[in-house]
């Protein structure tokens, strides 16, 4: 009976294993998954196992669950980190969060007001001279013209708590290792804390993960079987290492120490004097970058260059950090409370592949790519990985597409990650242009450190190496004294003028990249390229902010425009809201034109044959709205999954002009809001044959 209950749970349309053996073999060949029936009880095969309960893993588990796919999450840590880590959520990630009920509203309600974090400040101390400041929020960023939602400044650990709340609402349980051992009935919809992935076996028709945990002081191991394993377990990914996928790029760009501390007095001081998100501080005693996670709560993270082995993490004990904070602030605040101190290494690398083992094991987030923090690409790129991956996994699990479709995840996301790596590197180098202009070139500092560690300085005792390093760095910082860095000093005056030029020309560290955040395009994968598409040389990132220009080319994100779904309603929604987040559904956008209605009817027939959901959205411009009394019912009968959409009056352009198309064109949108296919001004080929070709290509049947 347990076996039959398991079969029914996964919707297999048979009851007797022997009688339906032929169907089972055929079904599994098509889907490429395990013959789940050979297991029973606790050995049942999970559809998806996610290793790593950071934001990327949690977002993926939410999206999969909303699409009807059961999953479980393993997390090696026993508790979630309170270290703030990432804090900038870009436009595209916020758009994805709109698919998760109430999440955007909660972030917007909880984050600091934008005027408290829109600036980067460069200074000699928080109480001293301001060398310059850059405002990174432009009026259009808040106008919701190119996106229905704005960027956010919200600490990663707070985001994690909101995501856990969402999962709880979806029926998930967070279990410690002891409680998971007591409750062995089912692994579904669980976040298993204190469980470390120690081995992966792909020798069967399924993936077996051995998870190690401590129960009553004893280390225990258990096997978890799954059809798909996703590694979202961070920059040091165990999954990536176990399956032997290498990283490619630039390693060890910089070693740093991250100091998380609280000081309400410092927060109040900056609220009054000079609020901002980042404070780049350069003086004769210390150098560091202060991240103001929330000035109102007085929560900060200080990033300090770290040079081991001459320096050790013990040199950054809480008392030493308090003194360092005072040097950078320029005065002492008696309420500094150091919460956490972490060393970390900056890399710029991308995994050689995001998939392996016949697409049964996939990597996402920092497990697949490690960026410098400049521009906030790390977490945001990972969230977009999860969004790209969720509907594809759901399509495969549900039998809509073969496992080969998951190849398109690597084809689409790895080029984006490689581009974001280059862009974050350019942005990091832009950040380094400021200390370089002040006479403190970080590459020189790193070269000095290498010479002392591995060169001629290596013959010195460790104590003398430390003295030499500290002495050389102190000489460098002497250039930041007031006697040098002032308008009366020719050298100081020249450097200050160069700094002003860097800030005014947008050549310093940038926060936003609208063209890249919203305008990235999938050239190959689950898309139908246009015949006019020409393979162009890879785009060279400049590290400068560029505005986003809407595009409806295949592979691009669907342009945003406010529309009304119910012609009689005054409520407006984004075009993004036409795409469901609760099922794998494609959207065909057409105008109320005879040929387009015919195309839509043929698309409905093809989608029905392939057992994939399709919704047709008929866009009526404001000039033709008077014909809406009849709507599209007669033209699309007997199909009912359609909506008549009315454009909200715009002073700039209508929908088809925004898309650079005629109203005889059509757009097919994927479940992740990216455009799969379009025809610019009508079809010359047979509509049914074209729709068959399109769905076959997108869903990986060809």
């Amino acid at each position: 009976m347990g076996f039959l209950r398991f079969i029914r749970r996964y919707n297999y349309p048979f009851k007797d294993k022997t009688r339906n053996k032929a169907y089972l073999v055929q079904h599994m060949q098509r889907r490429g998954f395990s013959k789940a029936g050979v297991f029973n009880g606790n050995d049942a095969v999970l559809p998806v196992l996610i290793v790593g309960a950071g934001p990327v893993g949690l977002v993926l588990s939410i999206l999969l669950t909303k699409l009807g796919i059961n999953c479980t999450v393993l997390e090696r840590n026993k508790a979630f980190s309170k270290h703030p880590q990432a804090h900038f959520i870009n436009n595209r990630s916020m758009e994805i969060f709109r698919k998760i009920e109430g999440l955007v509203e909660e972030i917007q309600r909880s984050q600091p007001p934008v005027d408290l974090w829109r600036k980067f400040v460069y200074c000699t101390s928080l109480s001293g001279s301001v060398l310059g400041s850059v405002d990174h929020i432009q009026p259009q960023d808040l106008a919701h013209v190119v996106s229905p939602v704005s960027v956010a400044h919200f600490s990663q650990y707070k985001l994690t708590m909101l995501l856990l709340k969402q999962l709880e609402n979806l029926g998930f349980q967070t279990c410690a290792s002891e409680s998971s051992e007591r409750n062995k009935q089912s692994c579904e919809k669980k976040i298993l804390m204190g469980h470390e992935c120690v081995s992966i076996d792909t020798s069967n028709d399924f993936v077996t993960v051995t998870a190690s945990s401590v129960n009553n002081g004893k280390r225990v191991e258990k096997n978890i079987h799954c059809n798909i394993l996703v590694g979202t377990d961070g920059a040091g990914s165990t999954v990536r290492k176990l399956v032997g996928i290498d990283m490619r790029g630039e390693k060890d760009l910089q070693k740093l120490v991250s100091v998380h501390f609280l000081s309400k007095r410092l927060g109040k001081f900056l609220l009054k004097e000079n609020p901002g998100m980042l404070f780049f501080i350069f003086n004769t005693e210390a150098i560091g970058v202060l991240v103001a996670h929330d000035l109102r709560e007085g929560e900060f993270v200080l990033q300090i260059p770290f040079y081991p082995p001459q320096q050790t993490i013990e040199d950054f004990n809480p008392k030493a950090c308090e003194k360092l904070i005072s040097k950078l602030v320029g005065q002492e605040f008696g309420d500094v409370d150091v919460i956490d101190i972490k060393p970390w290494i900056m890399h710029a690398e991308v995994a050689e592949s995001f998939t392996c083992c016949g697409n049964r094991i996939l990597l996402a987030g920092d497990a697949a790519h490690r960026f410098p923090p400049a521009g906030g690409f790390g977490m945001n790129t990972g969230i977009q990985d999860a969004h790209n991956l969720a509907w594809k996994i759901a399509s495969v699990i549900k039998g809509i597409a073969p496992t080969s479709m998951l190849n398109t995840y690597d084809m689409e996301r790895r080029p984006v990650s490689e581009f974001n790596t280059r862009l974050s590197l350019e942005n990091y180098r832009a950040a380094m242009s400021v200390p370089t202009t002040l006479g403190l070139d970080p590459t020189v500092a790193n070269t000095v450190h290498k010479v002392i560690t591995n060169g001629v300085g290596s013959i010195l005792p460790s104590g003398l190496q430390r003295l030499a390093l500290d002495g050389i760095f102190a000489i460098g910082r002497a250039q930041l004294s007031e006697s040098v860095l002032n308008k009366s000093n020719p050298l100081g005056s020249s450097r200050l003028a160069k700094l002003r030029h860097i800030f005014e020309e947008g050549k310093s560290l940038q926060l936003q990249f609208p063209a890249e955040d919203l305008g990235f395009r999938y050239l190959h994968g689950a898309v139908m390229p246009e015949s006019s598409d020409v393979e162009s040389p890879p785009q060279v990132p400049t590290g400068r902010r560029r505005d986003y220009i809407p595009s409806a080319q295949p592979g691009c994100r669907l342009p945003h425009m406010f529309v009304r779904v119910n012609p009689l309603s005054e409520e407006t929604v984004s075009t993004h809201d036409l795409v469901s987040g609760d099922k794998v559904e494609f959207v065909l956008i057409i105008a109320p034109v005879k040929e387009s209605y015919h195309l839509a009817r043929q698309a409905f027939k093809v989608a029905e044959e392939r057992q994939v959901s399709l919704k047709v959205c008929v866009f009526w411009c404001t000039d033709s709205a008077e014909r809406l009394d009849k709507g599209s019912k007669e033209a699309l009968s007997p199909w009912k999954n359609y909506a008549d959409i009315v454009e909200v009056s715009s002073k700039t352009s209508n929908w088809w002009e925004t898309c650079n198309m005629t109203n005889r064109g059509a757009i097919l949108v994927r479940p992740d809001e990216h455009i799969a296919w379009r025809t610019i001004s009508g079809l010359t080929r047979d509509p049914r044959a074209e729709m068959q070709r399109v769905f076959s290509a997108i869903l990986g049947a060809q």
Side-chain angles (χ1 to χ4, degrees):
M1 291 300 292
F3 167 73
L4 291 177
R5 281 197 299 272
F6 171 75
I7 292 297
R8 291 190 191 107
R9 182 185 302 163
Y10 289 98
N11 298 317
Y12 282 86
F14 51 87
K15 295 181 179 179
D16 181 83
K17 188 168 102 175
T18 305
R19 192 176 68 187
N20 291 278
K21 185 176 180 181
Y23 176 85
L24 177 63
V25 172
Q26 181 184 16
H27 187 69
M28 290 305 168
Q29 284 176 343
R30 180 165 63 91
R31 286 200 11 205
F33 283 151
S34 68
K35 299 177 183 178
V38 301
F39 300 105
N40 56 46
N42 299 325
D43 289 328
V45 180
L46 284 166
V48 181
L49 179 66
I50 300 167
V51 176
V56 176
L58 296 180
V59 167
L60 179 59
S61 61
I62 292 170
L63 296 178
L64 284 172
T65 303
K66 284 170 65 66
L67 292 173
I69 303 302
N70 286 328
C71 59
T72 287
V73 185
L74 294 187
E75 171 54 49
R76 64 186 178 90
N77 293 305
K78 292 185 176 181
F80 290 98
S81 172
K82 289 297 181 72
H83 202 91
Q85 297 172 281
H87 56 95
F88 178 66
I89 308 175
N90 71 18
N91 260 137
R92 187 59 187 138
S93 294
M94 288 293 281
E95 289 177 350
I96 294 167
F97 287 169
R98 292 178 76 249
K99 297 296 182 185
I100 302 174
E101 186 177 357
L103 181 58
V104 163
E105 292 78 8
E106 191 65 42
I107 291 170
Q108 292 173 331
R109 187 162 49 246
S110 304
Q111 72 168 345
V114 67
D115 286 343
L116 302 186
W117 52 267
R118 62 192 302 154
K119 290 193 302 181
F120 290 177
V121 178
Y122 300 80
C123 56
T124 57
S125 77
L126 298 184
S127 308
S129 302
V130 174
L131 303 173
S133 66
V134 180
D135 187 341
H136 290 282
I137 303 294
Q138 297 182 7
Q140 65 265 32
D141 297 333
L142 307 175
H144 298 168
V145 173
V146 298
S147 176
V149 64
S150 301
V151 299
H153 173 44
F154 195 64
S155 299
Q156 180 174 318
Y157 79 93
K158 295 179 181 178
L159 174 62
T160 297
M161 294 302 107
L162 294 184
L163 295 173
L164 288 171
K165 184 179 176 182
Q166 289 283 337
L167 284 167
E168 184 180 330
N169 293 338
L170 291 170
F172 272 73
Q173 291 180 291
T174 302
C175 306
S177 55
E178 290 83 358
S179 62
S180 69
E181 283 299 310
R182 289 194 298 269
N183 181 20
K184 294 184 177 181
Q185 293 304 308
S186 173
C187 277
E188 290 178 6
K189 289 194 172 183
K190 295 261 192 328
I191 302 171
L192 302 177
M193 304 298 294
H195 284 68
E196 183 176 5
C197 171
V198 294
S199 72
I200 299 171
D201 181 8
T202 60
S203 59
N204 295 298
D205 290 339
F206 49 84
V207 179
T208 299
V209 170
T210 302
S212 174
S213 61
V214 175
N215 183 23
N216 295 324
K218 295 182 180 179
R219 185 159 292 280
V220 295
E221 292 185 349
K222 65 179 176 183
N223 292 333
I224 303 174
H225 309 297
C226 61
N227 278 320
I228 294 178
L229 170 65
V230 186
T232 61
D233 49 338
S237 172
T238 299
V239 173
R240 187 186 67 235
K241 293 172 183 175
L242 287 174
V243 298
I245 296 177
D246 291 330
M247 302 291 281
R248 290 287 180 263
E250 297 187 36
K251 296 179 183 288
D252 299 346
L253 291 169
Q254 180 71 58
K255 294 180 175 68
L256 299 107
V257 170
S258 179
V259 182
H260 177 207
F261 71 95
L262 302 176
S263 174
K264 289 217 168 187
R265 292 179 185 175
L266 176 57
K268 287 181 180 178
F269 172 78
L270 289 172
L271 280 171
K272 180 182 178 182
E273 297 295 329
N274 201 4
M277 177 191 282
L278 299 185
F279 297 84
F280 298 82
I281 308 167
F282 309 94
N283 64 45
T284 56
E285 294 189 274
I287 293 171
V289 179
L290 185 70
V291 184
H293 280 263
D294 196 327
L295 291 176
R296 301 168 305 175
E297 296 178 2
E299 184 170 29
F300 302 91
V301 169
L302 177 63
Q303 303 286 5
I304 316 156
F306 180 39
Y307 296 96
Q310 292 77 21
Q311 294 177 345
T312 65
I313 194 62
E314 287 73 24
D315 295 328
F316 295 90
N317 59 68
K319 285 294 181 185
C321 288
E322 287 177 20
K323 290 181 180 178
L324 193 56
I325 291 165
S326 296
K327 291 176 182 178
L328 293 167
V329 171
Q331 58 179 291
E332 288 194 17
F333 290 97
D335 68 337
V336 171
D337 181 14
V338 175
I339 305 298
D340 194 16
I341 302 163
K342 284 186 176 181
W344 62 283
I345 304 174
M346 186 188 301
H347 304 284
E349 298 178 299
V350 177
E352 287 184 323
S353 175
F354 287 11
T355 68
C356 70
C357 303
N359 297 323
R360 291 184 291 170
I361 300 177
L362 308 107
L363 302 177
D366 287 355
H369 40 71
R370 309 192 289 199
F371 307 139
F377 289 101
M379 182 179 72
N380 288 297
T381 304
I383 288 166
Q384 291 147 35
D385 290 343
H387 193 226
N388 180 284
L389 190 53
W391 75 274
K392 295 177 179 178
I393 289 177
S395 296
V396 171
I397 295 287
K398 290 174 180 288
I400 296 169
T403 55
S404 59
M405 187 200 185
L406 294 175
N407 287 328
T408 67
Y409 169 63
D410 179 271
M411 295 167 68
E412 293 178 355
R413 291 306 301 169
R414 192 151 52 90
V416 171
S417 299
E418 289 168 348
F419 181 86
N420 285 351
T421 303
R422 297 192 296 271
L423 182 54
S424 62
L425 269 173
E426 287 299 317
N427 204 27
Y428 170 66
R429 290 175 182 132
M432 295 303 99
S433 69
V434 173
T436 299
T437 300
L438 294 172
L440 301 171
D441 188 339
T443 58
V444 173
N446 289 332
T447 300
V448 167
H449 178 236
K450 287 178 182 177
V451 169
I452 291 175
T453 304
N454 303 316
V456 293
S458 61
I459 63 174
L460 297 173
S462 58
L464 287 179
Q465 287 186 29
R466 173 68 181 264
L467 285 173
L469 190 70
D470 289 347
I472 293 170
F473 285 174
I475 292 170
R477 291 195 304 270
Q479 300 175 84
L480 302 171
S481 67
E482 291 185 8
S483 60
V484 175
L485 210 57
N486 66 77
K487 293 180 180 179
S488 301
N489 184 303
L491 178 61
S493 177
S494 172
R495 288 178 173 176
L496 291 172
K498 288 179 181 177
L499 268 189
R500 284 195 300 273
H501 177 74
I502 288 172
F503 298 144
E504 290 168 359
E505 296 295 315
K507 294 180 178 179
S508 60
L509 178 72
Q510 297 298 300
L511 176 65
Q512 293 200 74
F513 294 88
E516 289 78 15
D517 292 343
L518 298 175
F520 62 87
R521 182 187 179 195
Y522 302 139
L523 294 174
H524 306 284
V527 296
M528 292 293 291
E530 296 178 313
S531 57
S532 58
D533 280 348
V534 178
E535 191 75 26
S536 56
Q539 188 178 1
V540 178
T542 64
R544 310 277 189 90
R545 172 177 170 139
R546 297 185 300 121
D547 287 335
Y548 162 74
I549 299 173
S551 172
Q553 290 178 292
C556 289
R557 151 196 171 275
L558 180 70
H560 154 73
M561 178 180 283
F562 284 117
V563 296
R564 294 200 307 271
V565 175
N566 182 349
L568 300 178
S569 171
E570 292 301 315
E571 182 184 1
T572 61
V573 300
S574 169
T575 46
H576 292 187
D577 298 321
L578 304 177
V579 183
S580 174
D582 299 323
K583 55 184 171 180
V584 178
E585 182 176 72
F586 288 79
V587 174
L588 181 66
I589 297 175
I590 62 171
V593 177
K594 180 180 178 181
E595 294 81 4
S596 297
Y597 279 131
H598 179 55
L599 170 66
R601 290 193 297 270
Q602 299 307 310
F604 271 130
K605 291 177 182 178
V606 172
E608 185 177 58
E609 290 168 1
R610 295 190 169 276
Q611 298 182 319
V612 60
S613 180
L614 175 70
K615 179 167 71 176
V616 171
C617 292
V618 185
F619 270 56
W620 299 73
C621 65
T622 51
D623 297 338
S624 60
E626 68 276 0
R627 293 190 284 124
L628 257 175
D629 55 333
K630 294 184 179 180
S632 302
K633 182 176 181 180
E634 183 178 337
L636 292 176
S637 180
W639 313 102
K640 296 180 179 180
N641 193 22
Y642 71 90
D644 285 308
I645 310 297
V646 180
E647 297 177 9
V648 175
S649 181
S650 171
K651 297 179 181 178
T652 53
S653 60
N654 66 29
W655 170 253
W656 300 107
E657 289 171 348
T658 297
C659 295
N660 199 24
M661 296 169 60
T662 75
N663 70 345
R664 295 188 175 275
I667 299 170
L668 184 66
V669 187
R670 308 188 323 188
D672 64 350
E673 300 164 8
H674 278 258
I675 293 168
W677 165 90
R678 74 167 177 177
T679 176
I680 295 175
S681 57
L683 273 180
T684 57
R685 295 183 290 273
D686 174 61
R688 184 178 178 83
E690 177 67 2
M691 287 296 97
Q692 288 174 331
R693 185 179 75 93
V694 168
F695 277 105
S696 292
I698 292 167
L699 295 174
Q702 291 183 352

